[in-house]
Amino acid sequence: AVSRYLALGEYQRVVEIVARTAREMFETGRWDTLANWIDALPESVLKANPEFLVSRAKIHTERAKYDQALALYEQAREAFAAVSNSARAAYSQVMEGYILSCQGRYAEAVSLCQQVLPLVTGDTREEKISTALAVRTIGLCQVKQGQTAQGCQALEKALALYEALNSSFDVGMVYHDLGFSSELLGDLDAAIEYYQAALDRWQLIGNPGAWANTLNGLGVIYHQRGNYDDALQALEGALDKCHATGDLRVEAHVLASLGDVHRDLGAYERAKQAYQKALEVTRHCRIGFIITYTLSALANTARLQGDLAGCAKQLQKAMDLASQHGSNYEVGLCHVSLGVLASQMGDMDGSLHHLDDAVSLLEAGGYRRDLAVAYLHRAGTAFRAGDRQAALDDLQRTRALAADLGFDQFLVVEGREHPNLIDYARQQAPDDDALANLRQRMAAHQARIAAQQEPALHVQPEPALRLLALGPPQVELDGQPVQWTTQQSRDLLFFLLQQPRGLRKEELGAVFWPDHPPRKLDGIFRSTVYRLRRSLFRESIVFEDGLYRFDWQSDYWFDVEQFEDALEEVPQKSVPEQIEHLEATLRLYRGDYLEGVYADWCTLERERLRERCLRARESLAGLYVDAGDLHHAIEQYQQLVAQDPYRETAHRELMRWHFRLGDRVAAIRQYHLCSQLLRDDLGLSPSPDTDALYLKIIG
């Protein structure tokens, strides 16, 4: 029906269908179909109805394009406020808060949602939905911030609100949230009950993204209990569902969980693959918690492989982000990892300082499993420092927490780093059967690792951001062309790509707005940078030490970078490999640098890259000559003169090899073409070398 109405131009009918079905399509995971309908409508129809801003924002949210979604919700909030639709304005603001929570900006998210709550005191369904979502978002943030009791209470309240609204999808989402919260608190039995309740709803509704998310939660529980085969099965099933629906947010969570399982099994390279893929997925959508968690997990994997410098570098990034997020849970995890690293590097005082901070934060938040791990590593550090009694005391605290939790596989895995501590404890308590059993399980786990090959995990990430400057400028984000609000924003991006170290605002202003006074420059500059970041993602352009630059740590592919790196690799290869490599490299050169951009700032770079291309093609032609393949050599020289008609050496080589192949007419024609071009365009005559070759050809 929609296709027919679109073909007939009956757009109002499409608007009515979208209004009736949008919620159901989101809940069942069919938002791609909805996106196609909306994209097919004329812009005039979309602008006349702010609801389409909300739908577009929801689509971006499902695709984990959070910065784009935030911008659209902000527009929607302003549009609804302008027509005095306070209920929809409130909903848009709550959704902004929800996205901020996904990005790890917990304090901002809570503030936005708390602002809304006094505004939605009515009894309309719309207001009740906004209230429930605000309470749910606040609860999720509080759980991450360390206010777990308040967070769980808020989630229970949100559950009751959604049940009163008879909203099965949202009830399932809160069940999942409660499962996740219980998991963090170490109550795995409660977590399983909540996750199963959520799964019951996904099986009825059929939303693959939500289903994958809850499968991931169950996989984590299997992993924590040491049921590795069940964990891998659940997580790989979740990954399949993610790929089917394109849910990047859930995919990042699943990949991080897979990394944890592989790391426990000693498959460190597989773990790194999974973590790196998770990090790549999150870089453009900025899922705050997973970025911090994955950086910390990568650091610990590097440490286990003996790369202490790499571990320290990753942990510093993780701690910086955790602090920005204001998450006591994330900061606590980072302190644990930093403590273990410091101990391994021989800094016992530093180790104890970090682990003391970790214990304080994790205990206050009620994160019992992670607290038990912190106690275990603090015990290991104390043992290495010679404080045997402190070590035994912390080991006992760990064991007491494990008994209270009802699972202790983490003792088996983490205990591998402290075998001497466990052996000493056994000597002090020879009748402690539980300690003897723990040592046996540690040995069995180590034997399993030694006996099996690394589990296979195939992840071939594609860069999220593709930057094409060789030829007409193009930028793609997640495989889709970026729609620029202004050409100047696009040009600013490519100019910054030319300046790896970055430039000051004044330097950029001198290039793009040389006639603007400082006061006017500030406004137009900030506006242009804002539009640029909105078209890509918030951190695409970073501001550090007074300089603006492209985020070179982001997930990107830049054809100029690839082209030049590939040319540097040529001398290291054999002649046949050089030919194949140069052919592939030259295919990257779709045309001159930023073709169609007429500005002084790109002229020198255009000429430099063009000359590199010409020299590479000349080298390729020479390699074909050396290999005796004159036909392919001629093809390359012909492309050379097409790119640079005044390159007399290329004309001369064409004359030479046409003549060598017996085509005397083609050789003579090439001479006359070269002579005419030089005379008519440059007022020059052919060089003596070219004339001498011509005389030899004509005999």
Side-chain angles (χ1 to χ4, degrees):
V2 170
S3 299
R4 185 170 66 253
Y5 291 141
L6 286 171
L8 294 172
E10 295 184 20
Y11 302 126
Q12 190 54 43
R13 294 288 186 91
V14 179
V15 170
E16 292 168 0
I17 292 173
V18 169
R20 289 199 308 270
T21 62
R23 181 176 177 82
E24 179 189 351
M25 296 183 78
F26 279 115
E27 291 182 356
T28 55
R30 291 180 291 155
W31 42 268
D32 266 342
T33 301
L34 184 64
N36 292 335
W37 292 356
I38 293 173
D39 289 344
L41 289 168
E43 198 65 28
S44 57
V45 175
L46 299 176
K47 287 181 177 178
N49 192 339
E51 286 296 338
F52 283 111
L53 289 171
V54 173
S55 294
R56 279 179 158 176
K58 277 189 172 183
I59 290 165
H60 283 311
T61 304
E62 294 293 335
R63 289 172 172 163
K65 295 182 178 180
Y66 293 137
D67 288 324
Q68 295 95 319
L70 275 175
L72 286 169
Y73 277 125
E74 185 179 351
Q75 291 178 39
R77 177 155 53 98
E78 292 171 355
F80 285 125
V83 295
S84 300
N85 190 338
S86 57
R88 294 303 284 165
Y91 176 79
S92 300
Q93 182 168 331
V94 174
M95 282 303 299
E96 289 180 66
Y98 172 74
I99 293 170
L100 290 173
S101 75
C102 293
Q103 292 184 315
R105 298 158 66 182
Y106 304 121
E108 294 175 73
V110 170
S111 177
L112 272 181
C113 291
Q114 286 178 336
Q115 290 171 22
V116 167
L117 286 174
L119 306 177
V120 284
T121 56
D123 293 329
T124 66
R125 182 178 179 83
E126 190 67 47
E127 288 179 304
K128 289 179 179 179
I129 287 173
S130 296
T131 299
L133 181 56
V135 172
R136 177 193 169 207
T137 301
I138 290 170
L140 284 170
C141 292
Q142 288 173 329
V143 167
K144 297 282 182 61
Q145 289 174 304
Q147 304 165 35
T148 47
Q150 301 96 308
C152 289
Q153 286 175 5
L155 290 173
E156 291 285 0
K157 181 179 177 182
L159 180 63
L161 289 168
Y162 282 128
E163 285 177 334
L165 288 165
N166 197 27
S167 178
S168 183
F169 174 81
D170 292 309
V171 167
M173 293 297 287
V174 181
Y175 272 136
H176 176 89
D177 298 337
L178 286 165
F180 176 70
S181 302
S182 300
E183 175 195 312
L184 287 185
L185 296 173
D187 189 348
L188 299 193
D189 290 334
I192 287 177
E193 287 185 19
Y194 284 126
Y195 282 146
Q196 190 56 57
L199 277 180
D200 290 343
R201 277 154 181 78
W202 308 145
Q203 289 170 349
L204 290 172
I205 296 170
N207 187 309
W211 200 328
N213 200 24
T214 303
L215 277 179
N216 173 65
L218 287 172
V220 170
I221 290 174
Y222 292 142
H223 164 226
Q224 291 188 7
R225 286 183 163 167
N227 301 328
Y228 295 112
D229 293 336
D230 291 339
L232 286 171
Q233 183 178 353
L235 294 172
E236 285 164 1
L239 199 59
D240 287 342
K241 288 186 179 297
C242 289
H243 291 159
T245 191
D247 194 321
L248 296 179
R249 180 184 62 85
V250 178
E251 183 179 348
H253 282 267
V254 176
L255 286 164
S257 301
L258 274 167
D260 289 345
V261 176
H262 291 308
R263 191 179 68 193
D264 271 16
L265 292 172
Y268 298 135
E269 289 303 314
R270 294 291 179 265
K272 282 166 61 176
Q273 274 188 301
Y275 291 140
Q276 286 165 351
K277 172 61 176 173
L279 202 57
E280 286 158 3
V281 169
T282 61
R283 270 185 173 143
H284 71 281
C285 54
R286 307 295 171 181
I287 307 170
F289 170 72
I290 287 297
I291 296 176
T292 306
Y293 184 87
T294 305
L295 285 171
S296 179
L298 274 170
N300 287 323
T301 307
R303 177 179 56 77
L304 289 167
Q305 291 183 302
D307 182 7
L308 302 188
C311 173
K313 184 177 179 180
Q314 296 280 31
L315 280 179
Q316 188 56 58
K317 291 181 184 177
M319 179 59 89
D320 289 346
L321 280 172
S323 300
Q324 289 175 26
H325 296 161
S327 168
N328 286 350
Y329 178 63
E330 294 174 28
V331 172
L333 292 182
C334 290
H335 274 305
V336 173
S337 298
L338 285 164
V340 176
L341 174 64
S343 177
Q344 197 162 333
M345 296 176 74
D347 180 7
M348 300 307 163
D349 289 339
S351 174
L352 289 172
H353 175 73
H354 281 299
L355 291 166
D356 286 345
D357 286 346
V359 165
S360 176
L361 290 168
L362 296 171
E363 187 173 31
Y367 308 111
R368 292 181 296 164
R369 175 190 174 277
D370 297 293
L371 175 62
V373 172
Y375 276 135
L376 176 61
H377 287 301
R378 196 169 72 173
T381 298
F383 185 79
R384 289 193 181 112
D387 191 343
R388 300 293 193 256
Q389 189 56 51
L392 290 175
D393 289 345
D394 269 345
L395 180 59
Q396 184 54 39
R397 292 186 181 100
T398 298
R399 295 177 64 197
L401 277 169
D404 186 42
L405 289 166
F407 64 96
D408 66 352
Q409 181 64 20
F410 60 88
L411 276 174
V412 174
V413 176
E414 305 288 341
R416 290 179 300 164
E417 300 197 46
H418 310 290
N420 294 336
L421 167 64
I422 305 300
D423 290 342
Y424 177 77
R426 287 182 63 202
Q427 292 170 13
Q428 302 307 303
D431 296 330
D432 191 330
D433 293 338
L435 272 176
N437 178 259
L438 173 62
R439 199 66 178 89
Q440 290 172 2
R441 289 166 61 203
M442 288 168 59
H445 186 73
Q446 197 63 37
R448 174 179 179 173
I449 290 173
Q452 67 180 27
Q453 294 182 343
E454 289 196 350
L457 174 68
H458 304 290
V459 286
Q460 295 296 329
E462 286 293 329
L465 184 64
R466 285 178 59 85
L467 303 155
L468 305 172
L470 297 175
Q474 296 177 28
V475 180
E476 297 175 0
L477 189 62
D478 291 336
Q480 299 298 317
V482 170
Q483 303 300 319
W484 297 99
T485 53
T486 66
Q487 183 174 306
Q488 210 161 47
S489 300
R490 181 204 67 185
D491 290 352
L492 178 61
L493 169 65
F494 282 102
F495 183 59
L496 287 171
L497 289 169
Q498 285 184 203
Q499 313 291 332
R501 294 185 179 180
L503 292 171
R504 297 193 309 276
K505 177 181 69 175
E506 292 74 17
E507 293 173 308
L508 293 166
V511 172
F512 286 91
W513 307 279
D515 300 326
H516 283 53
R519 187 170 59 183
K520 191 173 181 182
L521 169 63
D522 188 66
I524 192 170
F525 175 76
R526 291 184 185 280
S527 174
T528 304
V529 172
Y530 170 75
R531 290 191 179 97
L532 167 52
R533 286 169 169 163
R534 236 174 81 177
S535 296
L536 300 182
F537 45 87
R538 190 180 297 273
E539 293 84 2
S540 55
I541 303 301
V542 296
F543 179 67
E544 292 177 346
D545 301 324
L547 302 176
Y548 288 87
R549 62 171 176 81
F550 177 71
D551 180 10
W552 297 103
Q553 300 303 312
S554 62
D555 182 17
Y556 75 94
W557 184 91
F558 185 25
D559 61 354
V560 172
E561 194 173 74
Q562 293 293 313
F563 176 71
E564 299 208 89
D565 287 349
L567 289 180
E568 296 301 321
E569 296 172 10
V570 173
Q572 305 165 17
K573 300 180 179 294
S574 65
V575 171
E577 289 175 333
Q578 285 183 18
I579 290 174
E580 183 179 353
H581 187 74
L582 279 170
E583 286 276 15
T585 302
L586 287 167
R587 283 195 289 272
L588 291 170
Y589 198 93
R590 300 174 298 116
D592 285 341
Y593 178 71
L594 296 181
E595 199 172 280
V597 177
Y598 305 105
D600 292 341
W601 57 266
C602 62
T603 301
L604 289 177
E605 183 72 351
R606 181 177 293 148
E607 290 305 315
R608 184 185 72 81
L609 290 168
R610 188 167 181 270
E611 186 58 30
R612 290 210 72 177
C613 173
L614 293 171
R615 288 181 182 176
R617 198 172 293 285
E618 214 161 31
S619 298
L620 179 58
L623 288 169
Y624 276 128
V625 169
D626 293 343
D629 189 346
L630 297 186
H631 290 289
H632 278 103
I634 286 172
E635 286 180 8
Q636 293 302 320
Y637 283 123
Q638 286 172 335
Q639 290 190 56
L640 261 175
V641 298
Q643 285 182 267
D644 184 2
Y646 311 113
R647 204 172 191 87
E648 190 175 349
T649 55
H651 285 284
R652 193 160 57 240
E653 293 304 305
L654 280 170
M655 292 165 59
R656 189 188 317 279
W657 304 122
H658 277 312
F659 183 60
R660 176 71 63 85
L661 287 173
D663 194 345
R664 186 166 173 268
V665 172
I668 293 171
R669 186 187 306 120
Q670 195 68 44
Y671 171 78
H672 288 301
L673 174 62
C674 173
S675 178
Q676 185 176 357
L677 279 168
L678 293 173
R679 182 180 62 252
D680 293 350
D681 293 355
L682 305 178
L684 300 174
S685 298
S687 69
D689 287 345
T690 304
D691 282 339
L693 179 59
Y694 172 66
L695 291 174
K696 179 181 177 181
I697 290 170
I698 63 176

